[in-house]
């Protein structure tokens, strides 16, 4: 991994950066917009200077968290395409994505407050081919109705993520909403 200056990072610096990002994800999910970089440093087990060396501003830290989230989503879909259960892989991807979106609500809100737009449709659209493969596998296994189209699935994904992000859906509402969506995707009895 390269540093901001384009140099190769030492192993300990990479570990510190990863610990900071993990801690920041937890802190922002728990404390919301009031989260402090001091708490991030404390949870990561590093000095505040280490946080600022990697992320000079809170905005830099937030953008790194969003980049990390998008990488996790990409990794999730790749994992499910590679070896996921064809009957449940699309549903598992939906659930993971909505939960990750909800968990990062504070990060997106803070980025928006500083004027950084965080579009949902662009990153999700780039996953369209992989989601299409999950859909096809689900249809081949009989878990998803044959008449369901990819554009419909993508619309549902975007809607569920927007609801979790901007609607403030709690865990129970997310679970119930996904259950309704999944029922609609399954073949009629």
């Amino acid at each position: 991994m390269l540093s901001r200056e384009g140099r190769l990072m030492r192993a300990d610096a990479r570990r510190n950066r990863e610990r900071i990002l993990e801690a920041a994800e937890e802190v922002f999910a728990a404390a919301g917009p009031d989260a402090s970089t001091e708490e991030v440093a404390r949870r990561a087990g590093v000095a505040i200077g280490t946080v600022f060396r990697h992320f000079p501003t809170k905005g830099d830290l937030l953008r790194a968290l969003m980049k990390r989230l998008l990488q996790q989503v990409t990794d999730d879909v790749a994992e499910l395409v590679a070896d996921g259960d064809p009957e449940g892989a699309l549903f598992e991807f939906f659930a993971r994505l909505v939960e990750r979106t909800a968990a990062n609500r504070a990060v997106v809100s803070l980025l928006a407050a500083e004027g950084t737009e965080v579009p949902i449709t662009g990153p999700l659209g780039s996953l369209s081919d992989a989601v299409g493969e999950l859909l096809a596998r689900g249809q081949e296994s009989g878990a998803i109705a044959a008449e369901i189209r990819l554009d419909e699935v993508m619309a549902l994904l975007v809607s569920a993520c927007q609801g979790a992000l901007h609607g403030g859906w709690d865990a129970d509402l997310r679970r119930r909403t996904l259950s309704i969506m999944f029922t609609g995707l399954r073949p009629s009895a």
Side-chain angles (χ1 to χ4, degrees), residues 97-187:
L97 183 59
V98 169
E99 287 308 308
R100 285 216 166 106
T101 301
N104 285 280
R105 184 173 178 217
V107 172
V108 173
S109 296
L110 286 167
L111 284 169
E114 74 167 23
T116 303
E117 182 63 29
V118 182
I120 294 292
T121 54
L124 288 181
S126 67
L127 298 173
S128 183
D129 290 343
V131 172
E133 188 170 337
L134 294 177
L135 172 62
R137 288 179 177 191
Q139 289 172 321
E140 289 167 11
S141 74
I144 298 173
E147 67 273 9
I148 301 294
R149 298 184 342 220
L150 177 60
D151 62 339
E152 296 165 334
V153 171
M154 296 306 292
L156 288 172
L157 267 172
V158 169
S159 299
C161 288
Q162 290 289 2
L165 186 62
H166 299 296
W169 297 357
D170 65 17
D172 183 56
L173 181 56
R174 291 191 304 270
R175 183 192 53 74
R176 289 184 291 118
T177 301
L178 287 176
S179 177
I180 292 166
M181 287 181 173
F182 296 168
T183 297
L185 291 171
R186 290 188 173 95

Side-chain angles (χ1 to χ4, degrees), residues 1 25-26 69 87 91 93 100 105 141 155 161:
M1 174 177 283
E25 194 172 302
E26 294 170 11
L69 169 66
E87 291 183 15
F91 301 132
F93 177 68
R100 285 216 166 106
R105 184 173 178 217
S141 74
C161 288

Side-chain angles (χ1 to χ4, degrees), residues 31-149:
D34 297 328
S36 72
T37 49
E38 289 81 6
E39 177 62 15
V40 170
R42 188 188 70 68
R43 283 205 196 176
V46 300
I48 190 68
T50 303
V51 173
F52 288 126
R53 196 169 25 262
H54 287 278
F55 308 102
T57 68
K58 195 173 190 177
D60 292 329
L61 178 57
L62 295 169
R63 282 186 286 283
L65 283 173
M66 281 310 302
K67 184 177 179 182
R68 184 173 190 238
L69 169 66
L70 295 174
Q71 185 59 54
Q72 289 170 336
V73 169
T74 302
D75 293 348
D76 280 351
V77 77
E79 170 196 330
L80 291 167
V81 165
D83 54 33
D85 164 28
E87 291 183 15
L90 183 63
F91 301 132
E92 176 65 21
F93 177 68
F94 254 83
R96 286 184 192 182
L97 183 59
V98 169
E99 287 308 308
R100 285 216 166 106
T101 301
N104 285 280
R105 184 173 178 217
V107 172
V108 173
S109 296
L110 286 167
L111 284 169
E114 74 167 23
T116 303
E117 182 63 29
V118 182
I120 294 292
T121 54
L124 288 181
S126 67
L127 298 173
S128 183
D129 290 343
V131 172
E133 188 170 337
L134 294 177
L135 172 62
R137 288 179 177 191
Q139 289 172 321
E140 289 167 11
S141 74
I144 298 173
E147 67 273 9
I148 301 294
R149 298 184 342 220

